Each structure stands twice: as structure tokens, then as C-alpha cells.
Amino acid sequence: MSSTTTQPLIAVIMGSKSDWETMKNASDTLARFGVPHESRVLSAHRTPQAATEFAAGASERGLKVIIAAAGGAAHLAGVLAAHTILPVLGVPMESQMLRGMDSLLSTVQMPAGIPVGTLAIGKPGAINAALLAVAILALQRPDLHDKLEAFRREQAEKILNETL
Ligand code: RP5
């Protein structure tokens, strides 16, 4: 597990270390906004008990949002969501065999009652999950609200200044 020194507010959970190359983009985005977070591997299939225990204790530990990434038969986000009322953001990993369509459908198609906010497959989803997590925190954090507005301004300026 990697963690910042202060109390983490966001957890970036992934089903395998092989997901880290993609999910590092979520961690880097959170770091850019100065949001304390932790990143760790937990699997719905390979470490089911540890995954459910993590989710069940997440709120008590002070976490506010969980980002959950998995590939293939991707049950991780749904399983974590089943054990906490914290918002869970799912990021489907790009799988080798089906290019992430399997991950996308198994993450997004939650039955009514246990929501998972599902982002895009792969790197865009990892970055957007982090931005959405920051936006959730920003509802009660004016400093993060301002940082998100500055981020949007910078992004727009960069595009408007493109030369071809
Ligand atoms: C999922 O299986 C993981 O989230 C990963 O995307 C996929 C493959 O895992 P490895 O076989 O690379 O560990 O559980």
C-alpha cells in the first residue's frame, strides 16, 4: 500500500498490481490537487475477505470516496460498494482479450440498490475518477472548488493556444 503521510480521504483500490500503470494516473491526479490518498491492491476474487473488510471499515477510517479499478470479470467496485455507503467510482481496466468491454459491462451494470459510478475504460477513466472524487470533496471544500475551476481554466487555455 502506498499512502500520503496525512489521513487519506480517497482510496484508490485495484484488483491487481498489473492495473497500477493505469491507476497511477488517478493517484497522480489526486496528488496534483493535494488530496491525501492511499493506493493498494485488493481483489474481489483473490482476496475477497480482505476486500470486504476494507470496504466495511473505510468510512470509520475517514475515507470519503473509493475509486475501484478492475479488469475482466470486474466485480471489485460492486463488491466494495456492497459493503459501504461511501461513493464508489469504478474504473474498467483495458483487458487483453476483450479490450475492456468485459470490464466495462461488469462494472457498470450494477443492479438497482448498490450504485457504482462508472468511468471510461483505462487511463481517461482513471483521471476522471480522480477528478470526480475531488469534485465530491469540493462540495464541502472551497479550496478544492477553486483548484478545480483553475484546472478547467488552464485546460481550456491550453487548447485555445494550440497551434497546428
Ligand atoms: C483483475 O484481473 C485485475 O483487476 C486485472 O485487471 C485483471 C488481470 O489481473 P492479473 O492477472 O494481471 O493479476 O482482477
Side-chain angles (χ1 to χ4, degrees):
M1 176 168 74
S2 81
S3 179
T4 46
T5 45
T6 37
Q7 163 67 45
L9 298 175
I10 313 284
V12 180
I13 307 297
M14 62 217 82
S16 168
K17 194 172 178 182
S18 64
D19 300 325
W20 176 238
E21 190 184 338
T22 302
M23 293 314 294
K24 192 173 180 307
N25 292 288
S27 175
D28 289 348
T29 303
L30 293 170
R32 174 186 176 149
F33 284 87
V35 172
H37 61 284
E38 62 183 21
S39 302
R40 66 182 296 193
V41 176
L42 283 171
S43 168
H45 308 280
R46 294 165 175 159
T47 65
Q49 196 174 338
T52 56
E53 281 170 6
F54 165 80
S59 180
E60 210 166 82
R61 287 183 49 232
L63 290 164
K64 303 297 181 203
V65 182
I66 296 174
I67 295 172
H75 298 123
L76 182 61
V79 166
L80 296 181
H83 290 88
T84 181
I85 56 162
L86 292 177
V88 175
L89 306 178
V91 185
M93 294 293 91
E94 184 172 354
S95 57
Q96 217 181 346
M97 306 303 280
L98 298 175
R99 313 241 10 228
M101 280 306 291
D102 43 357
S103 324
L104 172 64
L105 295 179
S106 47
T107 301
V108 78
Q109 287 291 47
M110 286 297 290
I114 305 293
V116 167
T118 303
L119 285 301
I121 297 169
K123 181 177 173 181
I127 292 169
N128 280 344
L131 291 173
L132 197 49
V134 174
I136 292 169
L137 295 181
L139 291 170
Q140 295 183 334
R141 289 265 309 265
D143 60 319
L144 289 178
H145 182 273
D146 292 350
K147 282 185 186 178
L148 276 171
E149 286 197 329
F151 171 80
R152 292 279 181 102
R153 272 197 306 274
E154 280 165 32
Q155 186 169 241
E157 272 163 28
K158 199 175 153 208
I159 288 166
L160 293 171
N161 289 329
E162 298 285 18
T163 50
L164 302 174

